[in-house]
Amino acid sequence: MSTFQDFPIRWGMVIDIDKCTGCGACVVACNKENNIAPQDNQLRRIEAKGFPTRFKKIEWLTIYELTDGGDTAYLPRPCMQCGVPSCVSVCPAIATDKNENGGIVSQIYPRCFGCRYCMASCPYHARVFNWDQPVWPEGMEKQLTPHTSVRSRGVVEKCSFCHHRLMYAKDAARVAGEDPEKLADGAYMPACAEVCPTGAITFGDVKNPEHAVYELARSPHTFRLLARLGTDPQVYYMSKRAWVRLQGDNYLANEKAQVNEGGAHHG
Amino acid sequence: MDRALWPEGVERCSLGKFLLWLGVCGVVFALGAYEAIMILFPDGLARTALDNYFGFGLWITFDLAVIALGAGAFFTGLLKYILDIKELEKIVNLTVIIGFLCYSGAMLILALDVGQPLRSWFGFWHPNVHSMLTEVMFCITCYLMVLTLEFIPNILENRKLNQIPLLHNIAHNFHYVMPLIAGIGAFLSTFHQGSLGGMYGVLFGRPYVLRDGFFIWPWTFFLFVLSAVGSGPCFSVLVVKLMELLTGKKLVDWNVKRLMCKIAGTMLTLYVFLKILDTWAWATDVLPRSGLTWDQMFNSDLGYGVSLLWIEIGLCGVVPAVLLMVSAFRNIPALLYTGAILSCVGVTINRYVFTVQALAIPVMPFDKWYLYVPNWAEWGPSVMVIAYGFIVTSLAYRYLPVFPQEVALNAKAPAAPVAPAAPAEAEQPA
Ligand code: SF4
Ligand code: SF4
C-alpha cells in the first residue's frame, strides 16, 4: 500500500458545489487544453464498427449529479491527486507516480502498457483508457496544445491538474527573477479553474497561507470525497448543505453527525 | 498409420478419427483466434465490452480461474518430488500438462488484455516492487518456464524421440533435477497464486476486496493460495475423468484420484474455514470502516446478488469440503466427482466476484451499479484457449507416455474371469 509523502507545496483545488451550476465549461476547457479528441468522432467510429461504446469515452473531468430527492447539486470530479494514491502503488511499470513537489500524480504515457490495474484501483473512476486511436477532425491538429502530449490507443490517461501550466508558471517566475517554488496565488491555474464562469473552482497551494485555497480548504463546510478510505485527496469540496457533505463520504445512517475533517489533513 | 509413434503397448483410435477430432477443435480455435487477431491489429480493445468502468472483466476472471485450476501441477509436483508421495507419479505428467496449458493460456489472454502488448516487458524492465502485479508477472513467466522444463522430459519420452540417444539421455537426466525444478516451481507458484489474491486485497479504494491482513500481505494472499490448492487437484482429476470418458479407457487408478481429492479436500476445508472467518471480519470491520453496509455490496437485480456469496461459500465450499473430506462420501465416485466439480465452480465464482463485482459496486455514494456482460470478442479468445488445451492434451495423450498405468489398467481381461467384474471405480473400498 502507498504511504503518505509530504511535500513542501501541496497543489489543491477547492470546488464550491453550491456555486457549481453543472454548466460543463470546465469539461470543455479541460478537453481542449489537454488535447482530448472530440469524442463524437471517436465513439461514432467505434459504434460504426458494431462495438459497444458505453463508458469508452475519454474525459478527465466528469460532472456528477447529486440529489437528496428534492435538492440537486453538481460535483465536478477531476483526478483527486490523492496524497495516498491507490493507483500508484499498483502500477507494475511505474507509469504513474507521485514524486514531484506539489504532489501531482503523474502519468507517463509512453511507459504505460495498458494493464488498467490503476483504473481498477481508483474508487473515483478518475482514469480513462484509450480504447481506440483518437480521431482529430481535419485542421484541428493546428490547435493542439503543444506542451501536452497526445496519447495513443492502449494507454491510460487522467487529469494532471494541467501540469504543463505549472511548467509555464515556473518558467515565467524564473524569467521574472522569482523563486519558481514560491509561485504567487493565481500564477498557476488549471484550465477548468480558469474558465469556470461562477468561480466555483479555486486553485493554489493549500499549505501557503497567501493562497486563497489555504482558508477555503480549512472551512467547516469543506469535505473530501471518500476521505475515510484513506486516499487523502488534494481536491476539496465545499457545500453549506449538510446532505451534500454527507454524500461525499458514505456516511452511514448511524453516523449522521458529520465528522468534519475539512482542515484536518493538509500534510 | 502413426502407430509407431504411440507409447508402447497402448491402443489409440484411427488416425482419420483423430484428425477429425483435431479438426473440430481447430475450427473452434480458429474462431477465437480470429477475434484475437482483430483485437491485436485493427480494432484494439474497442472491440470488447470492457470499458472505463470495467477495466477488468471476463479475461482477468478467466486467467485467475485457470491459474487456480492449474494449481494441480505445482501442488502435485511438490507432494510427489519433495514430500515423496509415490502414488502421485501416476498422475503427475498430466498435472504438468494441465499446468502448462493453464499458464500458457493465461499468458496468451494477458497479451490480448493489455492495451500495448509490445510494451508488456516494461513490467520487467521498470518494475514497481510495490505492485503485486509485478510479482505476478515475474512469477507467472518464470513458472511457465519451469512448467516447460517439466513438460520436456515427457515429450522426449515419445517412442520415436526416445530412440535418439541424445534425447534419451536428456530425458533421463532431467529426472535427477526434477525435485529441484519442482521445488522452484512450488515456490514461484505459491507466490504468484498469493500475489493474484494480493492484487485485490491491497485495493484500499475498493472496500469489497480490501483486506488489510498480515504485514504486507492482505488475507486474500493466503486465501487465493489455499483455494487454488483446494481446487487444482480436483480439476486434474476431472480432466482425467473426462479423458477416460472420451477415450473409453482407464487411465489413472481410482486410488490415485481418491488421494488427489483427499488432499484437495483437506486444503479446501482449511480454506473454507478461513474464508468464513474472513467474510465475517470483512463484514464487521472493513465495511463499516469504509462507510458501507453489507446490503450495498450486493445487487440481485443486476446479477450481483448475495446468493452468489452463499453459493460460493456454502454450496461450492462447505459441501465439497465435506464430500471430499469424509471418506464414506469420497469413496463413492459420483460424490467424489460432484465434490470436485463444486470445488472448481466455487473457485471460479470467487475469482469472478473479486474481479467483476468488485468493480461493479459503486464506491462513491452518488455513483451507480452497472452490469457487465462480456461480448464475443472476449469469449472468443477464452474459447480459443480452451480449444488449445484440448488440442495439446489430445496430442499428448496420443503420442506421449502420459499415463504410466494405462497399459496395466486396460490389459485384456483373462478368458475366464475369477470373479464377476466390479464397477470400474468402486472396486477398491477405502
Ligand atoms: S483520484 Fe484515482 S487516479 Fe487520481 S490519484 Fe487518486 S487514485 Fe489515482
Ligand atoms: S494501465 Fe498503465 S498506468 Fe495503469 S497500472 Fe497499467 S501500466 Fe500502470
Side-chain angles (χ1 to χ4, degrees):
Chain A
M1 196 183 273
S2 307
T3 43
F4 177 73
Q5 261 182 291
D6 201 8
F7 299 102
I9 299 173
R10 184 176 163 98
W11 294 116
M13 184 179 276
V14 181
I15 304 177
D16 189 335
I17 293 191
D18 296 345
K19 286 187 185 160
C20 176
T21 59
C23 70
C26 52
V27 179
V28 175
C30 172
N31 289 1
K32 187 69 198 67
E33 179 77 15
N34 291 296
N35 296 338
I36 295 174
Q39 295 296 290
D40 278 357
N41 290 342
Q42 195 154 343
L43 294 180
R44 255 203 304 272
R45 188 177 121 112
I46 300 181
E47 203 164 29
K49 289 185 166 190
F51 310 147
T53 52
R54 188 190 70 168
F55 298 124
K56 286 205 167 106
K57 194 170 164 178
I58 293 198
E59 195 174 79
W60 290 2
L61 183 58
T62 300
I63 301 180
Y64 285 89
E65 188 180 316
L66 277 59
T67 175
D68 70 340
D71 199 4
T72 301
Y74 297 97
L75 183 141
R77 190 245 51 225
C79 167
M80 301 284 133
Q81 315 297 345
C82 304
V84 187
S86 62
C87 54
V88 164
S89 55
V90 299
C91 174
I94 326 185
T96 180
D97 202 1
K98 186 182 179 86
N99 60 0
E100 186 189 44
N101 190 15
I104 295 173
V105 175
S106 63
Q107 176 69 359
I108 308 156
Y109 308 118
R111 177 76 75 82
C112 171
F113 66 95
C115 68
R116 303 185 300 285
Y117 191 15
C118 52
M119 285 167 64
S121 75
C122 172
Y124 305 105
H125 300 291
R127 288 178 170 253
V128 287
F129 183 69
N130 282 278
W131 299 96
D132 197 9
Q133 201 65 28
V135 191
W136 304 96
E138 215 178 296
M140 196 168 164
E141 69 281 357
K142 295 185 189 119
Q143 302 176 19
L144 295 180
T145 307
H147 290 218
T148 310
S149 52
V150 288
R151 285 78 54 183
S152 66
R153 181 175 108 180
V155 303
V156 168
E157 56 183 69
K158 72 163 191 79
C159 151
S160 65
F161 271 0
C162 295
H163 185 266
H164 55 286
R165 289 187 168 212
L166 171 59
M167 297 295 124
Y168 293 153
K170 284 187 176 181
D171 285 350
R174 282 189 198 100
V175 170
E178 292 160 11
D179 181 356
E181 296 303 325
K182 289 202 178 67
L183 296 177
D185 197 11
Y188 160 37
M189 185 67 50
C192 55
E194 187 181 24
V195 85
C196 175
T198 62
I201 306 180
T202 317
F203 188 83
D205 175 8
V206 290
K207 282 185 155 189
N208 186 342
E210 286 164 22
H211 286 208
V213 286
Y214 182 88
E215 283 302 323
L216 293 174
R218 285 159 180 78
S219 149
H221 302 302
T222 301
F223 67 97
R224 293 181 297 166
L225 262 189
L226 303 176
R228 70 166 79 195
L229 294 187
T231 50
D232 187 36
Q234 282 178 215
V235 172
Y236 300 74
Y237 292 97
M238 293 182 78
S239 179
K240 294 212 167 87
R241 289 171 282 181
W243 70 265
V244 174
R245 297 199 297 268
L246 287 173
Q247 277 205 14
D249 200 10
N250 279 322
Y251 284 91
L252 296 171
N254 59 359
E255 27 176 38
K256 272 292 182 229
Q258 188 196 354
V259 189
N260 189 311
E261 50 75 51
H265 308 260
H266 303 288
Chain B
M1 240 172 78
D2 54 347
R3 182 176 285 272
L5 292 169
W6 298 353
E8 210 107 27
V10 302
E11 264 310 310
R12 296 286 180 257
C13 65
S14 71
L15 184 61
K17 202 166 160 190
F18 184 64
L19 289 179
L20 186 69
W21 163 252
L22 283 190
V24 172
C25 298
V27 169
V28 179
F29 182 90
L31 284 176
Y34 170 77
E35 290 296 326
I37 290 166
M38 294 308 279
I39 286 167
L40 281 176
F41 298 103
D43 297 336
L45 292 166
R47 203 176 167 89
T48 65
L50 294 167
D51 55 33
N52 291 331
Y53 221 92
F54 292 97
F56 288 178
L58 173 73
W59 285 341
I60 299 289
T61 309
F62 181 83
D63 284 347
L64 294 178
V66 294
I67 284 178
L69 297 174
F74 94 85
F75 202 55
T76 316
L78 176 80
L79 296 173
K80 176 180 178 298
Y81 292 109
I82 314 272
L83 299 184
D84 210 20
I85 302 183
K86 283 269 179 301
E87 277 300 276
L88 296 178
E89 74 190 3
K90 295 158 187 163
I91 197 167
V92 76
N93 285 343
L94 179 72
T95 62
V96 165
I97 297 174
I98 296 174
F100 175 80
L101 293 171
C102 289
Y103 278 79
S104 50
M107 287 193 71
L108 270 175
I109 295 281
L110 280 177
L112 285 181
D113 200 2
V114 298
Q116 292 275 347
L118 291 180
R119 292 184 194 166
S120 306
W121 55 279
F122 284 14
F124 300 95
W125 201 251
H126 315 281
N128 175 8
V129 293
H130 301 290
S131 172
M132 289 277 176
L133 187 53
T134 308
E135 191 174 322
V136 169
M137 288 174 67
F138 271 88
C139 285
I140 287 196
T141 314
C142 297
Y143 186 49
L144 181 61
M145 291 180 201
V146 168
L147 281 167
T148 312
L149 286 180
E150 289 183 335
F151 191 11
I152 286 175
N154 195 222
I155 298 175
L156 298 183
E157 276 164 4
N158 167 275
R159 185 131 68 114
K160 280 283 168 208
L161 291 179
N162 213 247
Q163 285 166 1
I164 304 168
L166 175 68
L167 297 185
H168 172 83
N169 286 333
I170 293 177
H172 188 70
N173 284 312
F174 252 112
H175 287 292
Y176 291 114
V177 288
M178 219 33 120
L180 176 69
I181 296 179
I184 297 173
F187 172 80
L188 290 170
S189 186
T190 312
F191 260 86
H192 84 256
Q193 293 283 2
S195 306
L196 284 173
M199 268 182 70
Y200 292 94
V202 295
L203 298 186
F204 59 92
R206 301 280 180 182
Y208 182 71
V209 289
L210 168 68
R211 302 291 190 276
D212 305 311
F214 169 72
F215 192 40
I216 59 162
W217 289 292
W219 295 130
T220 43
F221 185 97
F222 306 101
L223 291 173
F224 268 52
V225 177
L226 279 175
S227 57
V229 292
S231 55
C234 291
F235 184 67
S236 302
V237 169
L238 291 174
V239 172
V240 174
K241 184 66 195 167
L242 180 66
M243 290 174 78
E244 289 182 338
L245 289 174
L246 289 174
T247 61
K249 300 241 168 38
K250 279 185 251 165
L251 301 174
V252 171
D253 99 43
W254 169 242
N255 280 333
V256 177
K257 293 178 192 155
R258 212 171 37 179
L259 175 63
M260 290 283 279
C261 285
K262 183 178 176 184
I263 295 167
T266 315
M267 293 295 144
L268 187 64
T269 308
L270 180 62
Y271 164 69
V272 169
F273 172 71
L274 294 175
K275 173 75 184 170
I276 291 171
L277 281 184
D278 167 75
T279 307
W280 174 74
W282 165 73
T284 55
D285 175 34
V286 176
L287 287 186
R289 167 149 66 86
S290 315
L292 295 167
T293 62
W294 172 267
D295 291 336
Q296 284 172 312
M297 296 293 105
F298 305 98
N299 181 326
S300 309
D301 296 342
L302 291 186
Y304 305 109
V306 70
S307 51
L308 219 48
L309 181 78
W310 302 135
I311 293 175
E312 180 201 333
I313 300 183
L315 181 64
C316 298
V318 177
V319 173
V322 171
L323 291 181
L324 300 179
M325 270 305 274
V326 180
S327 59
F329 296 140
R330 192 173 61 236
N331 288 334
I332 302 169
L335 293 184
L336 177 132
Y337 292 123
T338 308
I341 292 172
L342 289 177
S343 155
C344 294
V345 173
V347 83
T348 310
I349 296 179
N350 177 265
R351 301 315 194 243
Y352 164 78
V353 294
F354 262 71
T355 305
V356 174
Q357 184 154 348
L359 299 184
I361 295 166
V363 183
M364 293 186 288
F366 43 82
D367 215 345
K368 293 190 185 70
W369 279 89
Y370 290 101
L371 179 64
Y372 160 73
V373 186
N375 64 4
W376 174 243
E378 293 159 82
W379 282 113
S382 312
V383 170
M384 170 187 84
V385 166
I386 295 172
Y388 153 74
F390 270 88
I391 293 172
V392 175
T393 318
S394 308
L395 288 168
Y397 168 71
R398 190 171 176 90
Y399 298 119
L400 305 180
V402 177
F403 298 106
Q405 289 184 299
E406 185 184 348
V407 178
L409 285 175
N410 297 287
K412 291 261 182 305
V418 259
E425 294 193 323
E427 57 203 7
Q428 297 169 58

